Amino acid sequence: MEFKYEDNYLNLYLNDEVIGYIKYSIDDNSLVIISTNVKKEHQGKGLARLLMDEIYSYALKNKLEIDSICSYGITYLEKKKNS
């Protein structure tokens, strides 16, 4: 599996096929997660969490605040905040 950042998407590839993604936007010093999606046949494998871990690390490395309007992203960020 491989992560690629492409045009406001963090894509997760398996054998040259996108199997999941996070759509996001960056304004000033803030990264906002808009949506998270994993193909049905790959759900339940922890891939959405892997995507969130990757984009969270990206935000930290680039000194960006991170927020979400996506329900999965909101839950993930709340858990990070409380850990």
Side-chain angles (χ1 to χ4, degrees):
M1 284 189 274
E2 179 182 16
F3 295 108
K4 289 185 185 176
Y5 288 87
E6 302 169 308
D7 300 324
N8 291 331
Y9 283 87
L10 166 58
N11 292 315
L12 178 58
Y13 283 86
L14 177 64
N15 301 325
D16 297 325
E17 176 188 0
V18 176
I19 61 170
Y21 66 84
I22 290 178
K23 182 177 181 181
Y24 66 92
S25 65
I26 297 177
D27 292 311
D28 298 322
N29 67 334
S30 182
L31 184 149
V32 177
I33 297 164
I34 297 167
S35 63
T36 304
N37 191 325
V38 174
K39 284 191 171 184
K40 285 185 182 187
E41 60 268 25
H42 295 285
Q43 291 178 358
K45 300 176 184 177
L47 299 180
R49 184 187 44 78
L50 288 177
L51 283 160
M52 288 299 302
D53 289 345
E54 170 64 25
I55 204 153
Y56 187 84
S57 294
Y58 176 86
L60 288 178
K61 287 177 193 172
N62 290 282
K63 297 181 171 93
L64 298 169
E65 292 182 26
I66 188 166
D67 200 2
S68 180
I69 59 172
C70 160
S71 61
Y72 186 85
I74 291 168
T75 300
Y76 177 92
L77 294 174
E78 285 176 359
K79 287 180 182 176
K80 280 290 197 187
K81 182 180 172 183
N82 294 324
S83 62

